[in-house]
Amino acid sequence: MKALLALSAALTGFAALSLAMDRHYEDYKGRGQTPPAALRRWMQLGGALGLALSLWAAVAGYGSAQGWVFWFGAMTVAALAVVLTLSYAPTRIVRLLRAGGVLLVLSVLGSLPS
């Protein structure tokens, strides 16, 4: 379950960080649109927290040596998903962000001790 948590947190983090950028936000909303300053800060904070949570889940799930390797792999897969979405269907990046968020919540709930 930690693997799913690491992957979904990385996916959500990268999607949020991409929407904090002017270029990708403009691709999503339309030409000439920029994210408001408050939204940009929240997206940057959420993206950084998502990547940090991903690192924690990978190290907690696989140990300190293999966890880092798994984290880099999870970040690679998540970044590839975000890049392909932004390249071929930029208006669907919010769907990817929402799906990653739902998957993140479900994996957090699944990894809680019973």
Side-chain angles (χ1 to χ4, degrees):
M1 195 54 80
K2 300 279 189 195
L4 184 61
L5 178 60
L7 182 62
S8 62
L11 180 69
T12 306
F14 278 131
L17 284 174
S18 70
L19 281 176
M21 297 173 64
D22 288 338
R23 177 180 178 156
H24 300 307
Y25 189 84
E26 185 178 273
D27 288 341
Y28 166 63
K29 282 288 195 178
R31 190 171 187 178
Q33 300 289 326
T34 59
L39 178 63
R40 181 189 311 267
R41 293 287 178 224
W42 278 109
M43 292 297 235
Q44 289 172 343
L45 179 65
L49 289 176
L51 293 179
L53 177 65
S54 175
L55 174 61
W56 173 82
V59 170
Y62 293 100
S64 61
Q66 294 169 342
W68 283 91
V69 175
F70 181 81
W71 183 58
F72 283 119
M75 285 196 336
T76 301
V77 170
L80 182 62
V82 171
V83 165
L84 289 175
T85 302
L86 287 171
S87 296
Y88 295 108
T91 58
R92 294 187 181 179
I93 190 67
V94 172
R95 287 185 188 177
L96 186 68
L97 180 63
R98 287 181 188 150
V102 168
L103 193 59
L104 178 63
V105 168
L106 291 176
S107 60
V108 165
L109 293 176
S111 66
L112 290 176
S114 20

